[in-house]
Amino acid sequence: MHPSGSCKCLHCAEFFVPDARNRRRQRYCVKPACRKVSKAASQQAWRQKPENAEYFRGCDNVARVRAWRQAHPGYWRRKGPKRSLALQEISKPQPPDNAPPAAQDDALALQDLFRAQPPVLLGLIAQFTGCALQEDIAAMTRTLHSRGRAVLGIDVPGSAYAKTPPQPTTSAARAVAV
């Protein structure tokens, strides 16, 4: 092995980093040609062992192969292309609702809202809230805008911070009859 942890491929003679699980025995790189040579060398080494010399010959081995083929009929036949199944269940199509189409939102998109704000204001809001997420800053910006309009006396319908018009101080009991 090379000091850098790489090995030299026995087929292409290029250095490669062996798989960590097989570091001591891997002699070939992962290129297709090298893998093919590795497989051929492995098979040749297996066939050269004395106990494997007659593995596929003789009456005993023929009977063993015949028994296996009977137990596994159709194993060697080429099958058609497998259907790939989705990882989710196929849902039945549902009829569309008769609901009216959703109304267009005339509000600015979140990105457009952010581009319109000065960076100092965005930084202050992020510092004030302790969060830099756009959605949180947008919610805080809307709240601060509503409060600011309420302070200035600008009517903001539906806002909890809008000023209510002053109530008349005269009561109905003191009113002059007409």
Side-chain angles (χ1 to χ4, degrees), residues 1 7 18-27:
M1 232 159 67
C7 296
D19 183 55
R21 297 165 292 189
N22 201 14
R23 185 176 299 276
R24 303 261 185 246
R25 293 181 304 276
Q26 188 174 352
R27 302 287 181 241

Side-chain angles (χ1 to χ4, degrees), residues 90-109:
I90 298 172
S91 61
K92 295 178 183 176
Q94 298 176 353
D97 295 350
N98 291 334
Q104 285 282 3
D105 188 12
D106 293 333
L108 291 174

Side-chain angles (χ1 to χ4, degrees), residues 13-68:
E14 291 183 16
F15 283 99
F16 69 97
V17 177
D19 183 55
R21 297 165 292 189
N22 201 14
R23 185 176 299 276
R24 303 261 185 246
R25 293 181 304 276
Q26 188 174 352
R27 302 287 181 241
Y28 297 89
C29 66
V30 295
K31 294 178 188 170
C34 298
R35 290 180 64 182
K36 190 179 257 188
V37 170
S38 170
K39 176 74 173 173
S42 166
Q43 286 179 338
Q44 184 180 9
W46 184 85
R47 274 189 256 116
Q48 286 179 349
K49 291 182 181 178
E51 63 268 18
N52 299 331
E54 298 292 322
Y55 188 78
F56 296 106
R57 294 188 184 124
C59 295
D60 296 336
N61 293 319
V62 170
R64 174 183 55 83
V65 171
R66 283 184 182 156
W68 187 90

Side-chain angles (χ1 to χ4, degrees), residues 79-100:
K79 295 179 176 78
K82 290 186 178 181
R83 284 184 37 199
S84 62
L85 297 175
L87 295 177
Q88 59 196 21
E89 294 178 2
I90 298 172
S91 61
K92 295 178 183 176
Q94 298 176 353
D97 295 350
N98 291 334

Side-chain angles (χ1 to χ4, degrees), residues 166-174:
Q167 297 294 325
T169 55
T170 59
S171 64
R174 290 190 225 160

Side-chain angles (χ1 to χ4, degrees), residues 54-172:
E54 298 292 322
Y55 188 78
F56 296 106
R57 294 188 184 124
C59 295
D60 296 336
N61 293 319
V62 170
R64 174 183 55 83
V65 171
R66 283 184 182 156
W68 187 90
R69 285 182 178 171
Q70 270 189 335
H72 302 90
Y75 175 80
W76 56 88
R77 290 193 190 114
R78 187 174 292 266
K79 295 179 176 78
K82 290 186 178 181
R83 284 184 37 199
S84 62
L85 297 175
L87 295 177
Q88 59 196 21
E89 294 178 2
I90 298 172
S91 61
K92 295 178 183 176
Q94 298 176 353
D97 295 350
N98 291 334
Q104 285 282 3
D105 188 12
D106 293 333
L108 291 174
L110 191 57
Q111 294 291 333
D112 295 337
L113 178 68
F114 267 62
R115 287 190 185 104
Q117 301 298 330
V120 172
L121 177 64
L122 293 175
L124 283 172
I125 293 172
Q127 183 69 28
F128 180 66
T129 60
C131 188
L133 296 176
Q134 288 183 357
E135 291 85 8
D136 295 337
I137 293 175
M140 181 56 72
T141 303
R142 285 190 292 272
T143 302
L144 292 173
H145 186 261
S146 176
R147 286 183 182 179
R149 289 178 63 93
V151 167
L152 294 173
I154 301 171
D155 185 30
V156 182
S159 172
Y161 303 107
K163 285 187 177 178
T164 55
Q167 297 294 325
T169 55
T170 59
S171 64

